[in-house]
Every structure is written in C-alpha cells, then in structure tokens.
Amino acid sequence: MTLLERTRQKNPRLVAGLMSGTSCDGVDVALVEIRRKEGKVLIRLRGFSQVPFCDDFRRALLALAEVETSRIDRLCALNVELARVYADALRMACTASQVGPGDIDLIGSHGQTVHHLPEAGATLQIGEPSVLAEAFRRPVVADFRPKDLAAGGQGAPLVPYVDYLVLHHGHLGRAVQNLGGIGNVTYLPPGASPEQVVAFDTGPGNMVMDGLAHLLSDGRTSFDRGGAMSARGRADHTLVQEMLGHPYFALTPPKSTGREVFGMAYVHGLVERGRARGLGPDDLMATAAALTVESMALGYERFLKWHGPIHEIILSGGGALNPTLFGLIRDRFPSARVALSDEFGLPVSAKEAIAFAVLADETLEGRPNNLPSATGARRPVVLGKIVLPD
C-alpha cells in the first residue's frame, strides 16, 4: 500500500495548515485534527503558532511583490528559502504543541502570494512544496489557486468553502469578514446551499494601514500597534470617498485583489492627497482605518443586501485584533452583532491556516473544494497539487 493510500485510510488525520498572507509578516501554523463522521467534517485545533519573518526576509518578500523591485533570481531563490522557513516554523509549532513531527499525516501549504492577476488567469504563490515533502516525509498539498483560475474563476477567495462547512446557519444570515492584508467577506444566507454563498475581496484589510505605518516610521514599524495611531487621529471622510472611487470597488463579484492594486503605490497616493489636505500621521492612519471599514460597507450595500439579511458579522484575521478597527466596524453596522470567530471554534489568528488544512484534506479525498459562486469558476474543481516524498 502506498503512502498516499495509507494516508487516505486514516480517520482522524492530523493535518498541518501553513499560511502566510498578503501582510507578509510571518507564517501561521495550525495543527488540525480532522475527523469524518456520517458525511460531516469535524475539526479540532491541536495547536497553533505564529512565527514572524525577520525584517530582512520580509523586505525581500515584499520586494518580489512590487513590479519595480522584483528580480527573477531572487524569486527563484526565495521560493526555496521560504519553504525552509515554513519547515522550521512547522517544527517549532510541533514542539510548542507537544506533537511529534512524525504524527503529522498531511501538510497543506498556501504559500506566499507574489502576484495575482485573475484577469489574465494567472497567479503565483511561492514556497516550494517539494522541500516540505522531503523535510517531513509526508504528502503536501500546495498551489491551490491555479486550478480554479483554469476553470475560469478568480482563484480567490478560497476560504469561503470552509466558512460554509463550519459556519452556515439555518436561521441567521452571517457575513464572515476576514481582515488580513486584504479584506474578504463570505456571506452565508440563512439556510444557504453552497450555490447561494456570495464571497469576494472587499478591498484593503490591514494593507494600507500597514503600508502607512512602514512609510511614516521610515521602516521602524510595520503596523499600527493596538490601533493607537488611528485612535488618536480624525478620519477625513471626504478623502475616504475619493479613495473609494478606485475602479476595483465598482467591479461586480466574483472579484479578488491584492498588493498589486492596494500596495505601496496606493499608499503613496493616500499620503499625497492627505498631506495636501493638511492631515498629520495620526489622521492619515485614522483615514486608512475608515477606508477599510467603508470599503466593507460599500461592498455589503452593493453586493450582499440583495441576498438576505446580515444578523451577524464574524471577524477574523489580524485586523480583528485591532480594537480601533473593531470599534469602527461595530459602530458602522449597528443592526448586526459583531463577534470574533473565536466564538465559533476558529481562533481569529488561526482561521486561515485552519482553512488550508481543511482544504488540503478535501483535496486528499478528491473532493471539489472551491465554491464557484464565490470564485466565478465554471464548475467545482479539486484544488491544489499533491507532492509526495517518494
């Protein structure tokens, strides 16, 4: 019996999910026990770790994502170097969770998105899975997005498949909002079928705020710690509305975006306009926070309200831990209950890493694991590529 066959026969399986997002601040590692019982997928988080990238490595990754600074030799080298960082992070997570590396059955690795061009049917995530397969002698599922693109989709968002599995409700309409570098929402109408799920990238999550923090501090900090700057400042809502004039916000879902749209060029544009209006650093940060919230509101108003009520907004991602941003969202949506995904067994910081563990397990089972209603693909497809150690 082959390793792949033995892995498929195990129930439960211990699956490691690896995720580094558009904020490019480090790798999240979730160790997830996945059990299949009577057609249901049951998950239990066995351990979670966040391993930050060192400053030089983060700068190198960010340089790859910008057209002006990307180099093919660094792309080639960092593809392997990042996988080694992932491997070290997984070993550290195993140690912290008292899980033996040999107890892991499967690894799901999202990789680091370097560029995403859905209009061209193209995307690129790095973090060579062969390095992980060799290091742990276990099957690795990676490169999830291209199959959806090949089927005519956006290649994103992919987490809505897991949102539906875990969070859909018979009577409540739920907007599941992730606030990573990019913000994305999964809307689950009351009693929804998979075909009724609506999902798309709402725009910047933390990306513009993080870019501002880096720019305003001359690189000394990479985010607005505790939401302190945005709490001190006053948002310029006229400027927010100007920034919402970007063509992306008017696009009809399915749609996805990334650093190539809301990266440093967009941040520089915000700073130039803000300084022309007399805004100081704190006011600029408050304006960026308001932009994140208003882009959510705009997307909900234009593209969600026609599908049903929103009783709950469930937040995850690093931005959910920013108290200023959380308060702005709660105030902006007074008719909905705003909660953290922790309430539902999905810790805020771990949710996306958990999701890619689940997606990898579905791939191993040969189950289609995209949602065409979310990505725009012509049909459900099995995502990812399985890399074997032998």
Side-chain angles (χ1 to χ4, degrees):
M1 186 181 296
T2 67
L3 173 62
L4 198 59
E5 290 168 339
R6 291 197 304 272
T7 306
R8 284 175 173 148
Q9 287 190 359
K10 293 196 71 173
N11 187 26
R13 285 188 283 262
L14 184 60
V15 186
L18 307 178
M19 176 71 194
S20 56
T22 47
S23 291
C24 205
D25 49 8
V27 55
D28 298 338
V29 184
L31 302 174
V32 187
E33 184 181 280
I34 300 177
R35 183 184 300 273
R36 295 175 182 274
K37 184 178 180 180
E38 298 174 354
K40 294 183 179 180
V41 178
L42 307 176
I43 65 173
R44 180 167 77 94
L45 184 62
R46 292 271 300 274
F48 175 69
S49 293
Q50 291 181 299
V51 181
F53 294 141
C54 70
D55 289 344
D56 287 346
F57 189 68
R58 182 174 189 266
R59 281 192 289 269
L61 287 175
L62 289 172
L64 285 185
E66 300 291 340
V67 173
E68 296 79 10
T69 54
S70 186
R71 282 175 35 180
I72 192 65
D73 58 336
R74 295 301 292 147
L75 177 64
C76 186
L78 284 169
N79 180 43
V80 173
E81 189 177 344
L82 178 62
R84 292 172 180 156
V85 170
Y86 282 178
D88 288 343
L90 180 49
R91 292 187 191 99
M92 293 168 64
C94 287
T95 299
S97 304
Q98 297 183 319
V99 170
D103 294 334
I104 294 171
D105 298 306
L106 179 68
I107 299 170
S109 176
H110 171 269
Q112 179 68 46
T113 298
V114 179
H115 221 63
H116 185 63
L117 298 173
E119 67 278 5
T123 191
L124 181 62
Q125 286 74 42
I126 63 170
E128 179 51 54
S130 297
V131 173
L132 291 167
E134 183 65 20
F136 292 92
R137 310 301 298 165
R138 290 294 184 269
V140 178
V141 183
D143 217 13
F144 289 87
R145 300 190 186 277
K147 187 63 179 293
D148 184 83
L149 283 155
Q154 293 272 315
L158 300 184
V159 174
Y161 179 88
V162 180
D163 289 338
Y164 178 78
L165 281 181
V166 179
L167 294 172
H168 77 278
H169 192 279
H171 307 294
L172 297 177
R174 289 174 166 169
V176 186
Q177 177 77 42
N178 182 63
L179 293 168
I182 291 296
N184 43 70
V185 65
T186 303
Y187 176 60
L188 306 170
S193 67
E195 295 75 23
Q196 293 174 309
V197 175
V198 181
F200 56 92
D201 287 353
T202 51
N206 305 314
M207 184 173 290
V208 174
M209 291 183 288
D210 290 352
L212 264 178
H214 179 83
L215 191 63
L216 296 174
S217 69
D218 293 324
R220 291 187 301 273
T221 186
S222 58
F223 66 103
D224 179 18
R225 188 176 298 275
M229 288 183 68
S230 50
R232 290 193 301 264
R234 295 187 62 176
D236 184 330
H237 289 282
T238 300
L239 179 55
V240 169
Q241 293 304 311
E242 289 180 11
M243 300 304 288
L244 288 174
H246 189 285
Y248 176 78
F249 298 111
L251 293 177
T252 301
K255 60 179 181 174
S256 58
T257 189
R259 192 170 295 279
E260 47 287 329
V261 175
F262 294 108
M264 289 309 295
Y266 188 86
V267 172
H268 280 287
L270 174 63
V271 171
E272 288 174 9
R273 293 187 189 189
R275 285 180 172 163
R277 298 173 64 86
L279 301 187
D282 291 348
D283 295 336
L284 283 168
M285 190 63 75
T287 300
L291 173 65
T292 291
V293 176
E294 289 305 315
S295 64
M296 286 173 53
L298 184 63
Y300 290 15
E301 176 69 20
R302 286 182 173 176
F303 307 122
L304 295 188
K305 73 175 186 179
W306 316 107
H307 297 276
I310 297 176
H311 299 107
E312 294 181 329
I313 298 174
I314 302 172
L315 299 179
S316 64
L321 300 176
N322 179 326
T324 303
L325 197 55
F326 185 95
L328 289 172
I329 293 169
R330 184 187 54 211
D331 294 344
R332 186 64 177 81
F333 300 96
S335 63
R337 186 175 83 92
V338 180
L340 299 179
S341 62
D342 298 61
E343 283 190 29
F344 305 88
L346 297 168
V348 162
S349 298
K351 180 172 175 280
E352 288 210 314
I354 292 171
F356 280 92
V358 174
L359 288 170
D361 199 71
E362 294 287 278
T363 297
L364 185 73
E365 290 282 321
R367 295 174 181 271
N369 49 354
N370 65 333
L371 279 183
S373 62
T375 68
R378 290 184 293 271
R379 61 187 181 89
V381 295
V382 180
L383 304 173
K385 300 163 186 173
I386 301 176
V387 178
L388 299 175
D390 294 310

